[in-house]
Amino acid sequence: MRAKMLVSKVQNWGGHGAASTGQSIYMFPVGGDKVQGGYPTDGVDEDNTFSLWTPGGSLELSVNNPALVGAIKEGERYYVDFTLANPAPAAAD
């Protein structure tokens, strides 16, 4: 499954500014509301297509990898892919 998410907030923690040791990243599915700028007049764009099938939700991530702190910015959009990592065992008959 793939979702397209908008970064709504990035909050630094564990330090100050560029010296932050981590961040909390908040995302929600893309959509055409006023916050995200609306849809084009013809209603056709990728965000509109994604919002049709993923109408609501939220995602919060904590990042403390120094190589990633500061890499994700508010207002950016990301694809988030969900791939089953450990299938449930088959039920016994």
Side-chain angles (χ1 to χ4, degrees):
M1 179 178 91
R2 173 174 265 195
K4 188 173 181 187
M5 308 290 282
L6 173 70
V7 179
S8 61
K9 181 179 176 182
V10 176
Q11 184 174 12
N12 294 328
W13 44 266
H16 299 287
S20 294
T21 59
Q23 294 181 311
S24 294
I25 300 165
Y26 302 88
M27 300 178 169
F28 57 87
V30 295
D33 61 24
K34 291 179 183 177
V35 173
Q36 296 184 45
Y39 296 125
T41 55
D42 65 4
V44 178
D45 72 349
E46 187 181 67
D47 288 356
N48 190 8
T49 301
F50 269 89
S51 69
L52 175 65
W53 303 109
T54 310
S58 63
L59 177 63
E60 178 183 345
L61 301 170
S62 294
V63 176
N64 64 356
N65 179 337
L68 296 177
V69 171
I72 294 178
K73 311 275 191 277
E74 288 182 19
E76 294 179 332
R77 288 167 166 78
Y78 287 88
Y79 296 112
V80 179
D81 293 307
F82 296 89
T83 303
L84 186 60
N86 186 18
D93 289 329

